Amino acid sequence: PARRLSAAGNVNATTVGSLLRERALDHGDSDYVVCDGDRLTYAAAERQSRELARGLIVAGAGRASRIAMLYPTSTAFVVSWLAITRIGATAVPISTFSTAGELRQIMAGSDVSVLLGVESYRGHDYVTRLEEAFAGIEEIMSTGNVPPSVRAADIVLATMRQARRSS
């Protein structure tokens, strides 16, 4: 397909999503990101980030949302960042080396409403670390006066616990 260029030769994209769509049309099967042995094409990045963006919207995230990302350097990090920017939310990357105390402080201080991430990476168990960071979360949830960061941690912990039971 022919590129859609302006008179100045620039791509006619005004958002990350529109730029990614244009690039996926032009370079669909070409590598967009290669990280270790994992490859992500332009078409896959566009499709996966669009689907995740829809899921974030269904979960209640939107333009004013802050979404934490607990990923190592990976294609999943890239897809998540693309999805977050597609809905106009703010991405809050969190170091995979963060301790339980740091996770709690980062999530509370950044007022995140959603946390995306991996269960573990190179011996770091984030389910356990989040459980430590939000010890007593069930009791906090029962009060009804729940900060967004605690609600996000509760949802993530429930999801990760369920995934562990299923595998």
Side-chain angles (χ1 to χ4, degrees), residues 55-86:
L56 290 168
I57 290 168
V58 168
R63 287 181 108 46
S65 299
R66 291 178 188 88
I67 301 173
M69 300 170 53
L70 182 58
Y71 290 103
T73 303
S74 64
T75 57
F77 178 95
V78 172
V79 168
S80 296
W81 183 85
L82 289 167
I84 292 166
T85 60
R86 286 179 90 132

Side-chain angles (χ1 to χ4, degrees), residues 42-145:
Y42 283 88
E46 196 285 325
R47 184 186 72 257
Q48 291 174 25
S49 66
R50 179 175 16 93
E51 291 169 359
L52 181 55
R54 285 183 184 149
L56 290 168
I57 290 168
V58 168
R63 287 181 108 46
S65 299
R66 291 178 188 88
I67 301 173
M69 300 170 53
L70 182 58
Y71 290 103
T73 303
S74 64
T75 57
F77 178 95
V78 172
V79 168
S80 296
W81 183 85
L82 289 167
I84 292 166
T85 60
R86 286 179 90 132
I87 66 170
T90 301
V92 181
I94 298 176
S95 170
T96 55
F97 296 110
S98 296
T99 64
E102 290 167 337
L103 283 171
R104 184 181 186 109
Q105 185 176 15
I106 291 166
M107 289 184 65
S110 61
D111 195 28
V112 299
S113 57
V114 176
L115 169 63
L116 302 174
V118 294
E119 288 183 38
S120 63
Y121 175 69
R122 293 190 179 176
H124 298 276
D125 181 347
Y126 302 114
V127 175
T128 300
R129 211 167 277 176
L130 285 165
E131 287 172 336
E132 291 170 8
F134 293 94
I137 200 165
E138 290 82 9
E139 186 177 320
I140 294 168
M141 293 300 289
S142 68
T143 67
N145 187 14

